Amino acid sequence: TGRSSDNGSGSVPSSTNRRGTKRFSLAPRDRRRSSGTSSNGSTAKTDYSTRKSMWTKLAAAKQEDIWDDEGGDEDVEEQITFKQVVVGLWETVKMSTMEKLYVIHTHPMILVVTLIAFAILCTAGVLTVLDLARREEEARKDEASDIAIETGNWFSDRLDQAILPLFTLAQFIQQLDIFQDMPERIGVAHANGSLPFLPPKPNKTYTHRNATNSVCQDPNITARFNEIAANIKRDAGMERVLVNLQLAPQAVVCMLYPMVNSEDFDPPMVLNNTAAQGHDLLTDPDRVFIAEATVPSTDVVTAGPLTLKQCANCKATVRQAFIARLSINALTDNQVITVGDIPYKKWGFAVALINWGELIERSDVYERFKVKDMEFKLTRTDIKFDPDTGTEIEKVVTLAESEGFDLDEYVTQELDTTNNIWKMQVGYSDGFVPAWKTGGIVGAVVLALVMSFLVLLILVENRTHYDMLSEMLPLKAIKKIRKGKTVVERFNVATVFFLDIVGYTTMSSGMSAIQVMKTLNEFFSEIDKIANKHKVAKIQTIGDAYMVTGGVPDRCLGPEGATKVALFALETIELVKTFRTAEGAQLFIRCGINSGPLVAGVVGTKRPQYTVFGDTVNAASRMESSSEKMRIQCSDLTYRLLRDSQTHIFDIEERGGIEVKGKGNMHTWFINGAKDVKTVSGGGDVINGEDDGTQHRGSTSNTNGTIENDYSLYDAIDNEHNVSHHHSDNDDFLPEDDSSVEPDESDPPVVPPPVEAQA
């Protein structure tokens, strides 16, 4: 290997290996060589052979027990119980929850944003569900309307098909002379020469004429009618629906086909119509209204559904039947039917009996609606005359309905029928409102809660990450990094502080690695609190070294930054005086401060680090390495800045000129204490020193007792440090691992330090 050399300018020493390449150390070589200073200012050095870096020891350790804490945990195989797992999981969840609650508490905007997100998501979700439910409701109503129209049209078409034969029958009556004089042969009710009435039932009026041996039983007319009616019924194609055709001249039922119908019913059931012959429709109170409505009408008038009992002493054959009537115009001038004193030239009626129950079964309407989970109700509204009140009344008759029809919501469609008002009511068993509407709203709210909770977690994690990152990097540096920019800044006047634990390598040699780490963590954690208190920036810790800056990254006036660092250093000295390790050992530190221009920036993209560069940093490191135990050494520039402090008067002791590696002879000072300017007249607070009521050493003041600024300081800084600061890329200020650097033969001989300095 080659020999390392120092160019005297603070650059990193290098050495050459066999291949001729250079190795660069990341720290000044004289970093740990001096542990104190003699009374005459000469630097004491320690023999390298007697010291060994604890970090090298940790890295080169081969024994497993170096990582074992004394009295610490041992690897013991034991069975983990389910209770331990649950308790551990609960503690983990509890700790994580408490951390997140703390972040929310310290950053209330996270909760505000989360609530806004929940309001937006919940509103959007509920409105979406309501819109989908509205569309579904409209679609269900449209479907119900379509089915109602379709079903109603089907019934209307079948009904029209069943009553169409009436028009054919009416044409035959008007064309055949054999039927021409039938109204005259029957006669008007109760008129001379007309068919007499049969005796009425008790408490009943006259309703039936005596058709025996009358025109209604004329064999020629009967035969001709039966022939015509049979053909019409057969051609209608409405078997089991069109069950009877009738002629009612002068509104009296006279001709019926078939008289006894067995072809449209399953044996032994038959429809016997013999009792209907001679029925005077205008004198029967139950039929007079429909009959009188049929006389003036040119359309078919229907009545029903009715129960058909067409014979005496027999059971009803058709329980749901429609009676359709069509008025036939008069064939002679003498044929007149009077309704309400108004004569109408009418021959009589053509009548059809329709089995409505059979038509319902053919429609399969019940099954169709059941499959779709729908219900229906088909009604007809009749307008009848009430003889008791002399007024017309509406009577709603149910033609067909689903079992237990009881809907609050349904659509209604009016049907195009021959007469009357037919309505079809259709609805869903569970209503038109979708069953999932309520669940959808609840789901939308729950989903909004879940998504808002996720937003909350994301915001908390981002905030935690940002807070953690802001502890390591300045906020403005973070913004630049996020934009992909290079972070670099120049500071004309900044103050740098270095701290090192005296003799810690020797003391830690008897400690385990865990003890070393615990001690450093406890010690530096306390120093972190002091750094936060005095608002100085912690740059980094390397081993047992600690570094902070004043005026970086947050810019401030030179005296202000130097004041913060000096107060921080003084309070750190006070902390060390009372700090004890877990083993009861006392620590001693060495501190150094320097001020001047420097460059700061972020290095690296993976685990980026904010650090500072420049001769000012290297000189600060030399101030620490050449300082004395439990003392704070500062450069002449720092002294001048502290002298111009607007808030404190510092007790500064002149040390004089000392030889500093790579810097030559430097005039340095020891900072012994500080006093607040506000209490200077009253002998107030003093840090690291006693207030004797006299002017502190190293301080300057005018006759009024106020601090007198020395603006020549900034000229001195510019003169001593070229403002362009063309620093070598190899300049570095990191603490050096003493065991990794060979001593230079050109260095001055090693002089053992005094016993006190070694301690």
Side-chain angles (χ1 to χ4, degrees):
T1 58
R3 186 182 304 276
S4 61
S5 61
D6 195 333
N7 57 14
S9 61
S11 61
V12 179
S14 63
S15 60
T16 307
N17 59 17
R18 293 180 180 179
R19 298 184 180 180
T21 59
K22 289 187 176 182
R23 295 183 295 107
F24 294 96
S25 173
L26 297 179
R29 294 189 52 208
D30 61 346
R31 176 70 181 84
R32 294 179 180 267
R33 294 183 183 176
S34 59
S35 59
T37 306
S38 61
S39 60
N40 58 3
S42 63
T43 303
K45 296 189 177 181
T46 305
D47 188 354
Y48 283 101
S49 61
T50 62
R51 303 183 61 194
K52 185 177 182 182
S53 172
M54 66 174 175
W55 305 111
T56 304
K57 173 186 174 185
L58 295 179
K62 296 182 180 180
Q63 297 181 355
E64 296 180 357
D65 58 356
I66 193 172
W67 297 104
D68 295 336
D69 192 5
E70 293 183 2
D73 298 336
E74 297 182 356
D75 294 335
V76 180
E77 295 184 0
E78 59 176 305
Q79 185 177 3
I80 300 177
T81 64
F82 176 75
K83 181 179 180 181
Q84 291 174 325
V85 174
V86 173
V87 172
L89 181 62
W90 166 251
E91 291 297 329
T92 301
V93 173
K94 181 180 178 181
M95 183 178 298
S96 177
T97 303
M98 294 300 295
E99 292 175 353
K100 289 177 173 54
L101 290 177
Y102 175 77
V103 174
I104 295 173
H105 176 72
T106 55
H107 300 87
M109 280 303 299
I110 292 178
L111 186 60
V112 174
V113 172
T114 302
L115 292 176
I116 293 175
F118 171 74
I120 294 174
L121 293 173
C122 185
T123 302
V126 171
L127 290 179
T128 300
V129 171
L130 292 177
D131 182 65
L132 292 176
R134 179 186 59 80
R135 295 187 181 187
E136 179 68 14
E137 184 176 353
E138 291 178 354
R140 290 163 73 95
K141 287 183 177 180
D142 292 340
E143 183 181 13
S145 297
D146 293 341
I147 293 178
I149 294 174
E150 178 184 352
T151 305
N153 290 338
W154 188 90
F155 281 114
S156 180
D157 293 342
R158 301 285 98 62
L159 193 60
D160 289 344
Q161 186 178 354
I163 64 178
L164 185 60
L166 294 180
F167 293 92
T168 305
L169 185 59
Q171 289 294 325
F172 275 103
I173 299 302
Q174 290 180 337
Q175 296 297 328
L176 298 178
D177 294 337
I178 194 174
F179 303 106
Q180 182 176 353
D181 60 348
M182 290 186 68
E184 288 87 346
R185 296 174 66 179
I186 292 176
V188 179
H190 303 293
N192 293 329
S194 62
L195 289 180
F197 282 90
L198 293 175
K201 294 180 180 180
N203 300 323
K204 297 291 184 179
T205 60
Y206 294 96
T207 59
H208 285 71
R209 304 278 191 101
N210 187 359
T212 306
N213 298 323
S214 67
V215 65
C216 297
Q217 294 183 351
D218 187 309
N220 294 327
I221 298 176
T222 302
R224 187 57 173 155
F225 171 75
N226 289 343
E227 179 184 2
I228 295 172
N231 291 329
I232 292 175
K233 183 177 181 300
R234 182 182 66 251
D235 294 340
M238 298 293 291
E239 293 81 3
R240 303 177 68 91
V241 175
L242 182 59
V243 296
N244 196 256
L245 289 175
Q246 303 174 1
L247 284 179
Q250 199 60 39
V252 176
V253 178
C254 186
M255 297 291 172
L256 300 96
Y257 177 85
M259 185 63 72
V260 179
N261 187 352
S262 60
E263 59 188 43
D264 292 320
F265 301 93
D266 297 328
M269 186 177 294
V270 295
L271 177 62
N272 191 335
N273 296 294
T274 55
Q277 195 172 38
H279 188 192
D280 193 332
L281 301 176
L282 292 176
T283 60
D284 188 345
D286 296 330
R287 301 289 185 266
V288 64
F289 182 79
I290 300 299
E292 290 180 346
T294 305
V295 171
S297 176
T298 57
D299 294 326
V300 176
V301 178
T302 59
L306 305 171
T307 300
L308 291 182
K309 184 180 179 183
Q310 301 288 78
C311 64
N313 302 323
C314 65
K315 295 181 179 180
T317 305
V318 180
R319 297 188 177 277
Q320 286 184 305
F322 274 109
I323 302 177
R325 300 183 179 93
L326 176 64
S327 63
I328 302 174
N329 293 328
L331 301 180
T332 65
D333 293 336
N334 296 327
Q335 295 174 354
V336 176
I337 299 178
T338 302
V339 175
D341 298 330
I342 300 176
Y344 294 93
K345 292 184 176 182
K346 297 291 182 177
W347 181 89
F349 306 144
V351 183
L353 301 185
I354 301 171
N355 189 345
W356 176 251
E358 179 65 22
L359 196 60
I360 290 291
E361 291 182 7
R362 287 189 180 185
S363 68
D364 201 21
V365 63
Y366 295 104
E367 187 63 25
R368 291 177 60 192
F369 280 92
K370 184 178 180 181
V371 169
K372 293 182 176 293
D373 196 24
M374 301 173 71
E375 297 181 14
F376 78 98
K377 185 176 184 180
L378 179 62
T379 62
R380 191 195 76 236
T381 302
D382 291 334
I383 300 178
K384 291 187 175 182
F385 179 79
D386 187 359
D388 296 332
T389 60
T391 58
E392 294 182 347
I393 59 174
E394 289 187 356
K395 181 179 181 182
V396 179
V397 180
T398 300
L399 305 180
E401 66 177 343
S402 300
E403 184 178 358
F405 178 87
D406 185 19
L407 298 179
D408 296 328
E409 291 184 307
Y410 51 82
V411 295
T412 302
Q413 290 292 336
E414 291 190 3
L415 307 180
D416 184 15
T417 55
T418 54
N419 69 316
N420 314 108
I421 301 175
W422 286 40
K423 292 182 180 181
M424 189 75 172
Q425 299 172 348
V426 179
Y428 283 88
S429 302
D430 56 353
F432 293 114
V433 178
W436 48 262
K437 181 178 181 180
T438 302
I441 294 176
V442 174
V445 175
V446 172
L447 182 60
L449 283 173
V450 172
M451 295 184 67
S452 300
F453 182 72
L454 293 178
V455 171
L456 176 66
L457 293 181
I458 292 173
L459 293 176
V460 169
E461 291 300 326
N462 286 344
R463 187 73 251 184
T464 303
H465 173 74
Y466 187 82
D467 291 345
M468 186 180 299
L469 195 60
S470 63
E471 290 293 331
M472 299 183 293
L473 301 174
L475 297 181
K476 54 186 177 181
I478 296 175
K479 295 178 180 179
K480 288 185 178 181
I481 291 175
R482 287 181 172 179
K483 296 178 180 179
K485 297 181 179 180
T486 301
V487 181
V488 59
E489 288 184 284
R490 173 178 171 149
F491 296 84
N492 292 329
V493 182
T495 301
V496 182
F497 167 89
F498 274 96
L499 171 154
D500 188 44
I501 301 177
V502 178
Y504 194 76
T505 302
T506 302
M507 183 176 62
S508 63
S509 61
M511 302 167 62
S512 68
I514 299 299
Q515 289 174 321
V516 170
M517 298 306 297
K518 285 184 177 179
T519 300
L520 289 177
N521 183 60
E522 292 174 0
F523 179 58
F524 286 147
S525 295
E526 293 298 324
I527 297 180
D528 288 341
K529 297 177 183 178
I530 300 176
N532 292 334
K533 174 182 176 181
H534 293 284
K535 298 181 180 179
V536 293
K538 175 184 176 182
I539 300 301
Q540 59 185 353
T541 58
I542 303 177
D544 60 333
Y546 192 95
M547 176 185 178
V548 300
T549 58
V552 177
D554 297 326
R555 297 180 183 271
C556 63
L557 295 177
E560 181 182 353
T563 300
K564 292 179 179 179
V565 173
L567 294 176
F568 161 78
L570 290 170
E571 189 165 345
T572 301
I573 291 292
E574 293 299 315
L575 167 69
V576 175
K577 290 180 181 179
T578 59
F579 183 84
R580 296 295 184 273
T581 66
E583 292 72 24
Q586 182 178 2
L587 301 181
F588 298 96
I589 63 174
R590 196 170 47 235
C591 304
I593 304 176
N594 184 41
S595 302
L598 55 80
V599 175
V602 176
V603 178
T605 56
K606 184 176 182 181
R607 297 178 64 184
Q609 182 179 7
Y610 186 82
T611 187
V612 290
F613 306 89
D615 187 65
T616 298
V617 182
N618 295 330
S621 177
R622 300 294 189 268
M623 289 294 98
E624 178 272 315
S625 62
S626 61
S627 183
E628 296 179 358
K629 181 180 66 174
M630 297 298 290
R631 303 207 73 176
I632 306 167
Q633 181 176 235
C634 71
S635 65
D636 194 56
L637 294 178
T638 303
Y639 160 73
R640 296 187 186 188
L641 290 173
L642 293 178
R643 191 180 64 181
D644 290 344
S645 174
Q646 299 293 314
T647 58
H648 289 78
I649 298 177
F650 289 89
D651 182 0
I652 304 177
E653 174 186 346
E654 183 177 7
R655 183 180 186 183
I658 63 172
E659 288 295 326
V660 177
K661 182 68 175 180
K663 303 295 292 182
N665 188 276
M666 291 186 65
H667 195 81
T668 62
W669 306 75
F670 284 126
I671 304 174
N672 297 326
K675 184 176 182 180
D676 196 333
V677 172
K678 297 179 180 179
T679 59
V680 66
S681 60
D685 298 338
V686 176
I687 299 178
N688 199 24
E690 297 182 357
D691 182 13
D692 55 4
T694 62
Q695 178 66 41
H696 292 283
R697 291 168 293 176
S699 303
T700 61
S701 62
N702 56 24
T703 56
N704 296 328
T706 59
I707 298 298
E708 180 178 323
N709 290 326
D710 184 1
Y711 293 101
S712 63
L713 167 64
Y714 303 101
D715 296 334
I717 294 175
D718 290 338
N719 292 333
E720 183 165 337
H721 297 273
N722 189 342
V723 292
S724 59
H725 297 285
H726 299 291
H727 299 296
S728 170
D729 293 337
N730 295 330
D731 285 353
D732 198 69
F733 54 88
L734 301 179
E736 181 184 40
D737 186 350
D738 298 330
S739 63
S740 64
V741 180
E742 296 294 336
D744 194 341
E745 293 180 358
S746 62
D747 292 341
V750 178
V751 179
V755 176
E756 181 180 358
Q758 283 185 330

